């Protein structure tokens, strides 16, 4: 009653997801905790953007933002034998993450994540949002969710935290924020609020807050 159902839902989902996302991902050369903290930051950023834009479907957005990288859990063991090649391609910056995955494995983590969530019987708008979070224009079911996930990712990048940016795929694009109805001058304020909320959430989940 004190927390409210939305907060309780988010806490429960976050705690469960953390059990799976926190481990190191050798195929992607991600240290322990990186994927987890990136996903948590994106989920918190999605809530912040929902508040900014008056977006109502917050539970679906939070779920999709938190689980957007779930496909990497599936692909990581298959990518591990090509970890050095994947790292080299990443350093050359000729391809984005999805393109590198497709080159080495024939599919990407977004498509994989969407398929997994669909198999788990999550709502179609969530699985489609995850499947197309790197290419929102292809989402015929819930493009609004994919758009906001992409903006969340960019807002996380604007934090300029190395432990998070090693998992990022693209830099902040001010035009996309303008298209969504968010003035450019609001971005630093949103970033500052995100930094505060992320620190508070990490402290709470680590048991130190």
């Amino acid at each position: 009653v004190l927390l409210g159902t939305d907060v309780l839902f988010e806490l429960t989902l976050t705690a469960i997801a953390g059990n799976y996302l926190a481990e190191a991902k050798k195929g992607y050369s991600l240290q322990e905790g990186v994927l987890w903290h990136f996903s948590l930051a994106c989920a918190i950023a999605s809530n912040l953007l929902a508040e900014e834009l008056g977006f109502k479907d917050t539970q679906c957005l939070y779920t999709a933002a938190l689980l957007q990288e779930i496909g990497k859990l599936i692909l990581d063991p298959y990518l591990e034998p090509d970890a050095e090649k994947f790292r080299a391609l990443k350093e050359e910056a000729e391809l984005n993450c999805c393109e590198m995955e497709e080159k080495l494995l024939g599919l990407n983590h977004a498509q994989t994540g969407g398929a997994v969530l669909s198999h788990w019987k999550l709502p179609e708008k969530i699985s489609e949002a995850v499947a197309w979070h790197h290419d929102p224009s292809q989402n015929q079911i819930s493009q609004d969710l994919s758009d906001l996930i992409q903006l969340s990712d960019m807002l996380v990048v604007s934090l300029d935290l190395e432990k998070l940016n090693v998992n990022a795929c693209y830099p902040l694009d001010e035009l996309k924020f303008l298209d969504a109805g968010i003035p450019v001058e609001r971005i630093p304020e949103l970033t500052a609020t995100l930094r505060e909320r992320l620190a508070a959430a990490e402290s709470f989940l680590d048991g130190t807050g």
Side-chain angles (χ1 to χ4, degrees):
V1 173
L2 291 173
L3 290 174
T5 55
D6 287 349
V7 174
L8 183 60
F9 169 82
E10 291 174 6
L11 287 173
T12 303
L13 178 64
T14 301
I16 294 171
N19 292 330
Y20 298 96
L21 294 169
E23 295 180 357
K25 303 295 177 285
K26 296 180 180 179
Y28 288 93
S29 299
L30 296 176
Q31 296 181 353
E32 182 179 349
V34 169
L35 198 62
W36 162 230
H37 287 286
F38 178 83
S39 300
L40 176 62
C42 288
I44 294 172
S46 75
N47 265 354
L48 189 58
L49 291 171
E51 293 171 12
E52 183 76 8
L53 297 170
F55 187 77
K56 302 300 182 183
D57 198 1
T58 54
Q59 283 195 358
C60 283
L61 176 60
Y62 186 91
T63 302
L66 184 68
L67 300 180
Q68 62 175 294
E69 304 288 69
I70 199 78
K72 289 185 177 179
L73 274 67
I74 309 300
L75 297 185
D76 187 69
Y78 301 97
L79 191 60
E80 190 171 343
D82 291 318
E84 290 297 329
K85 187 175 181 179
F86 186 85
R87 189 182 302 112
L89 287 172
K90 186 175 183 180
E91 291 173 354
E92 291 170 7
E94 294 180 354
L95 304 172
N96 63 37
C97 182
C98 288
E99 290 171 338
M100 290 187 292
E101 291 165 340
E102 290 168 2
K103 184 178 180 65
L104 295 175
L105 300 175
L107 74 170
N108 62 56
H109 72 278
Q111 296 168 340
T112 304
V116 168
L117 297 182
S118 178
H119 180 71
W120 288 350
K121 306 300 182 184
L122 268 70
E124 186 179 18
K125 57 185 175 181
I126 293 178
S127 61
E128 286 295 292
V130 169
W132 299 111
H133 71 274
H134 286 295
D135 193 4
S137 64
Q138 299 299 312
N139 186 345
Q140 303 299 312
I141 305 296
S142 53
Q143 184 176 340
D144 54 349
L145 292 179
S146 291
D147 283 333
L148 285 171
I149 292 174
Q150 192 173 76
L151 290 179
S152 299
D153 290 9
M154 291 181 181
L155 202 59
V156 170
V157 170
S158 71
L159 290 173
D160 196 27
L161 297 176
E162 184 178 355
K163 70 175 183 178
L164 300 181
N165 287 0
V166 293
N167 188 65
C169 285
Y170 31 65
L172 185 144
D173 185 340
E174 293 180 347
L175 289 178
K176 288 188 179 294
F177 279 81
L178 286 172
D179 288 342
I182 299 176
V184 173
E185 56 268 22
R186 284 287 296 148
I187 297 176
E189 297 176 39
L190 291 171
T191 301
T193 302
L194 173 58
R195 190 183 300 274
E196 293 173 0
R197 292 189 182 183
L198 178 60
E202 290 177 333
S203 177
F204 176 80
L205 291 168
D206 291 341
T208 58

